[in-house]
Amino acid sequence: MILFFRSKTLAVFLFLFIIILSSVLLSGGYQVSNQNEVIISFPRNLNLESLMRLFPLDPLMIEGEKIYFLIDQQYLSSIKEAGYTFTLENNRFDWPAKNSADRKFHLESGLNGAYHSYSELGSALKALATAYPGLSRLYILGKSLENRNIYALKISNYQAVKENKPGVALLGCHHAREWISVEVPLLIADYLLKNYNLDTHIKNIIDSAEIWIIPLVNPDGLDYSIFNYRLWRKNRRFNPDGSFGVDLNRNYSFAWGYDNEGSSPEPSSDLYRGPGPFSEPETLAIKNLFQNNHFSAAISYHSFSQSILYPWGYANLPAEKEDLFQQLASTMADLIYRVNGRRYEVGRASASLYLTNGNFTDWAYGFFQIPAFTIELPPIDLLQGGFFNSQEDIENIFKENLPAALFLAEWAISTYVKPSIPESEAKEKSDKNKQKIIKKEIYN
Ligand code: 0X9
Ligand code: ZN
């Protein structure tokens, strides 16, 4: 009887396994259009404040006279009942493209083509750290919720025992679906290392600064976006209400939860700020890095919309250093424009997109008084690909962003004022801190 029961259970399991496996294989294993989310648009002149307070909407973009959101379809009837008229726009996100000739959506090998998954990025960073032992070290700043590494490649001339250099942080991929934001900081790292001996500007930057490259703040989210659901944005926190994810760019402690427009208290919202500031290991890793190193400037890469944004983001108020931010951002935009003729809009974050509280750049400026920019990479609009850049775009987007990042590093070097404590004492202090915070140095 027991034996019979066991083999019957086994048969049922086997049956279910085959069904699940075949449906995964047949669908390509790739969820392309749902999670019950749909894309809707509203007229641009709508009162966004009340709309976003009422519903957990994930703003995708503003284009022409329309503003686009991602929303769980369970809310559609309530939105109608509340008197809002919207247009369903799902066909605008045709992924993968039905027309395979459309190169905007074309990826060659694997689901992520030339874009790096978490493990591919790990290999690339290890290869760089191994190839350039005198100029780079690879750190693990912490672990994600699903136990993936938060990598940081520090580029600096380790032969010159000159401590107390200004740090510049280049971060990517707070948001899972923004794949291009991993590639730009990674390619900048690659370029810096390859050109140390070829270009005196690069040599000067590596000799005089510490460039910290953190290309993947949200590794769990990125892999989920690659292997499960392309439009995934948040990390993969399992929330108490059964939903998943905290928006890592709403989880920093400056003005955290300032209002419900710039972030959401609803776990199921794509703008969920989490139960408290730094509730997520991914943002905590960044906090520890900043608290234990001296940073003079930072860029957080996102996509899309071709813009360079500076604080404040939580409220439409000018930062005390707005004039400086405006100048730096305009220079960066001009440098970018010169490469491929693409114009990145420049402006105060809260004025140019929508309000965001608990974001990285407000925190970096709010707590450390440093210039911190969000660079929203191309394209400018949904029609040109939105989050789905073609792999052929990677090189151009990197190339145009390179001079802007180099300029910011050179600015950090030229304006750096060394702390007045003796160098030996400062070195000892910084070494101690590093040991405490950076859990494990895995290369060199
Ligand atoms: O909403 C965000 O976090 C960023 N846009 S995205 O489409 N990539 O999600 C905007 C951040 C800009 N705001 C601030 N830096 N304050
Ligand atoms: Zn983003």
Side-chain angles (χ1 to χ4, degrees), residues 140-183:
I140 296 172
L141 303 181
K143 293 277 183 180
S144 69
L145 279 170
E146 293 175 350
N147 212 33
R148 292 183 177 86
N149 297 327
I150 317 283
Y151 290 114
L153 187 73
K154 179 178 159 187
I155 300 178
S156 188
N157 181 354
Y158 286 91
Q159 260 80 54
V161 197
K162 213 168 46 166
E163 272 297 328
N164 283 320
K165 297 173 184 175
V168 176
L170 305 180
L171 297 94
C173 207
H174 275 80
H175 292 139
R177 62 197 173 200
E178 298 165 14
W179 297 2
I180 185 70
S181 72
V182 178
E183 305 306 317

Side-chain angles (χ1 to χ4, degrees), residues 32-34 37-41 58-61 63 67-70 88-98 102 105 177 229-232 304 379 381-389:
V32 291
S33 60
N34 189 312
E37 281 179 324
V38 288
I39 293 159
I40 57 177
S41 71
D58 171 9
L60 284 179
M61 64 165 302
E63 184 189 75
I67 176 152
Y68 294 81
F69 293 96
L70 205 55
L88 266 175
E89 303 275 3
N90 260 13
N91 54 350
R92 301 282 304 274
F93 277 83
D94 185 13
W95 174 267
K98 284 187 195 102
D102 184 350
F105 302 97
R177 62 197 173 200
Y229 175 49
R230 181 64 185 84
L231 279 174
W232 189 254
F304 59 93
D381 64 26
L382 195 55
L383 284 179
Q384 296 181 49
F387 296 109
F388 307 148
N389 305 86

Side-chain angles (χ1 to χ4, degrees), residues 175 178 233 249-250 302-303 309 313 349 353-354 356 359 361-362 374 376:
H175 292 139
E178 298 165 14
R233 169 181 170 94
N249 211 28
R250 302 292 183 277
H302 284 254
S303 74
L309 308 172
L353 276 174
Y354 38 79
T356 57
N359 68 71
T361 49
D362 278 5
T374 300
E376 296 271 1

Side-chain angles (χ1 to χ4, degrees), residues 76-310:
L76 291 182
S77 50
S78 329
I79 295 175
K80 258 189 218 152
E81 278 158 27
Y84 293 99
T85 314
F86 58 82
T87 313
L88 266 175
E89 303 275 3
N90 260 13
N91 54 350
R92 301 282 304 274
F93 277 83
D94 185 13
W95 174 267
K98 284 187 195 102
N99 172 8
S100 60
D102 184 350
R103 60 181 285 280
K104 276 283 160 219
F105 302 97
H106 180 67
L107 300 171
E108 257 159 23
S109 59
L111 297 170
N112 54 328
Y115 289 89
H116 288 77
S117 64
Y118 162 73
S119 74
E120 289 163 348
L121 177 74
S123 309
L125 291 173
K126 282 169 199 166
L128 283 178
T130 310
Y132 300 95
L135 301 176
S136 65
R137 287 181 190 176
L138 183 58
Y139 295 93
I140 296 172
L141 303 181
K143 293 277 183 180
S144 69
L145 279 170
E146 293 175 350
N147 212 33
R148 292 183 177 86
N149 297 327
I150 317 283
Y151 290 114
L153 187 73
K154 179 178 159 187
I155 300 178
S156 188
N157 181 354
Y158 286 91
Q159 260 80 54
V161 197
K162 213 168 46 166
E163 272 297 328
N164 283 320
K165 297 173 184 175
V168 176
L170 305 180
L171 297 94
C173 207
H174 275 80
H175 292 139
R177 62 197 173 200
E178 298 165 14
W179 297 2
I180 185 70
S181 72
V182 178
E183 305 306 317
V184 168
L186 175 63
L187 284 165
I188 291 174
D190 183 73
Y191 185 90
L192 286 172
L193 293 169
K194 284 190 176 134
N195 286 279
Y196 180 82
N197 285 318
L198 304 175
D199 180 336
T200 50
H201 286 111
I202 303 298
K203 183 176 185 312
N204 177 47
I205 289 173
I206 297 182
D207 286 348
S208 319
E210 296 181 347
I211 311 294
W212 285 85
I213 308 281
I214 307 109
L216 183 48
V217 178
N218 182 7
D220 301 347
L222 176 72
D223 271 13
Y224 194 76
S225 166
I226 291 173
F227 299 112
N228 293 282
Y229 175 49
R230 181 64 185 84
L231 279 174
W232 189 254
R233 169 181 170 94
K234 301 186 282 181
N235 75 350
R236 291 296 297 161
R237 165 75 66 192
F238 183 54
N239 297 318
D241 69 348
S243 67
F244 280 88
V246 168
D247 182 345
L248 296 180
N249 211 28
R250 302 292 183 277
N251 191 240
Y252 288 84
S253 60
F254 189 88
W256 180 87
Y258 177 79
D259 64 21
N260 288 345
E261 190 193 343
S263 67
S264 172
E266 284 295 320
S268 62
S269 163
D270 263 340
L271 308 179
Y272 178 44
R273 56 183 170 245
F278 294 117
S279 57
E280 306 311 295
E282 296 89 353
T283 48
L284 200 57
I286 304 302
K287 177 189 177 202
N288 288 338
L289 174 70
F290 271 68
Q291 281 186 338
N292 293 283
N293 291 278
H294 177 89
F295 283 98
S296 296
I299 299 176
S300 180
Y301 293 99
H302 284 254
S303 74
F304 59 93
S305 76
Q306 263 176 238
S307 47
I308 306 182
L309 308 172
Y310 48 77

